[in-house]
Amino acid sequence: QSALTQPPTVSGSPGQSVTISCTGTSSDIGSYNHVSWYQQPPGTAPKLIIYEVTNRPSGVPDRFSGSKSGNTASLTISGLQAEDEATYFCTSYTTTYTYVFGSGTKVTVL
Amino acid sequence: QVHLVQSGAEVKKPGASVRVSCKASGDTFPTYNVHWVRQGPGQGLEWMGIVFADGRDTRYTQKFRDRLTVTRDTSTSTIYMDLRSLRSEDTAIYYCAREEDHSFNFDHWGQGTLVTVSS
């Protein structure tokens, strides 16, 4: 199972919106809505920020939103803040009953 | 509140085995699945496998199928990951992560355990 494809880096100024894509196949993202996103600041464990494509866990700011179309999922950060600097990973359940992660996207706030 | 506390860093020689533990707090331990995910130096996350809530069923990604075993001890609320025939490419931080009630996401993570494989 190959990793889901994400852009290596994305950047934006404070207050801007950025979108991170996560491209898979019909064997993972295209088959299920079991797509989640994780935020990982340097030196820390990942943190769940979006699950089932569009849902936010309690405590996650509403400037984080998710969507999906076909084999591609997306994470949008609206109103970018300095504290959003981190690496973001997507993951999807697959048709072989396993999980696959994205390659990761480093978000830089200019 | 759920906490997953992992065992400390390990240094192993190539060909050796390593056991990493993940102790869970909270009374819902019997109801959730536990996954293992690893992250090589400067690398992305890699899903390795899962032990289901019943403790009997496991599933591993093809890459690790012949050298990975994940078990859980309900009496001590501890999950174990055993990786055999270590090689230098196995140097990574290993995380345990909780999946609540077939939610298909990982809502709580351990702090990570660094395993270094070096001769």
Side-chain angles (χ1 to χ4, degrees):
Chain A
Q1 186 82 41
S2 299
L4 306 174
T5 301
Q6 296 181 232
T9 60
V10 165
S11 61
S13 300
Q16 285 188 329
S17 293
V18 295
T19 296
I20 302 168
S21 60
C22 170
T23 302
T25 70
S26 58
S27 296
D28 38 67
I29 294 176
S31 285
Y32 302 103
N33 285 329
H34 304 318
V35 175
S36 50
W37 289 88
Y38 300 84
Q39 178 192 60
Q40 187 181 34
T44 69
K47 173 190 172 185
L48 176 68
I49 57 170
I50 294 287
Y51 65 95
E52 294 298 288
V53 178
T54 61
N55 298 285
R56 279 187 314 278
S58 174
V60 174
D62 61 6
R63 64 178 183 275
F64 292 95
S65 62
S67 63
K68 189 188 96 166
S69 177
N71 296 337
T72 298
S74 298
L75 172 72
T76 297
I77 310 173
S78 305
L80 196 62
Q81 298 186 9
E83 67 209 51
D84 299 333
E85 269 207 354
T87 300
Y88 292 80
F89 295 94
C90 57
T91 190
S92 174
Y93 191 59
T94 80
T95 53
T96 56
Y97 312 113
T98 60
Y99 291 80
V100 60
F101 278 94
S103 46
T105 299
K106 183 174 182 179
V107 171
T108 301
V109 182
L110 301 172
Chain B
Q1 179 71 325
V2 174
H3 287 287
L4 300 175
V5 179
Q6 299 182 220
S7 50
E10 301 268 8
V11 179
K12 296 292 182 180
K13 293 193 181 303
S17 298
V18 68
R19 166 169 277 198
V20 179
S21 67
C22 171
K23 184 171 176 60
S25 63
D27 59 3
T28 60
F29 177 76
T31 66
Y32 54 83
N33 307 326
V34 176
H35 299 253
W36 287 91
V37 176
R38 78 177 187 179
Q39 186 169 35
Q43 304 288 314
L45 300 172
E46 181 176 29
W47 186 84
M48 301 176 69
I50 176 178
V51 58
F52 287 89
D54 64 8
R56 293 188 297 272
D57 196 10
T58 56
R59 191 171 299 142
Y60 308 123
T61 193
Q62 179 69 37
K63 176 178 177 178
F64 297 106
R65 203 153 289 168
D66 59 346
R67 48 186 200 109
L68 173 66
T69 302
V70 178
T71 55
R72 67 194 286 160
D73 182 342
T74 303
S75 67
T76 60
S77 299
T78 302
I79 305 92
Y80 299 97
M81 182 213 65
D82 292 294
L83 189 61
R84 301 174 291 281
S85 302
L86 291 169
R87 30 218 191 220
S88 58
E89 311 90 86
D90 294 318
T91 293
I93 297 174
Y94 289 77
Y95 293 101
C96 61
R98 183 186 88 151
E99 176 202 355
E100 186 177 33
D101 196 24
H102 297 288
S103 61
F104 300 97
N105 63 75
F106 318 128
D107 62 349
H108 287 84
W109 294 65
Q111 83 276 20
T113 297
L114 175 62
V115 174
T116 302
V117 183
S118 174
S119 55

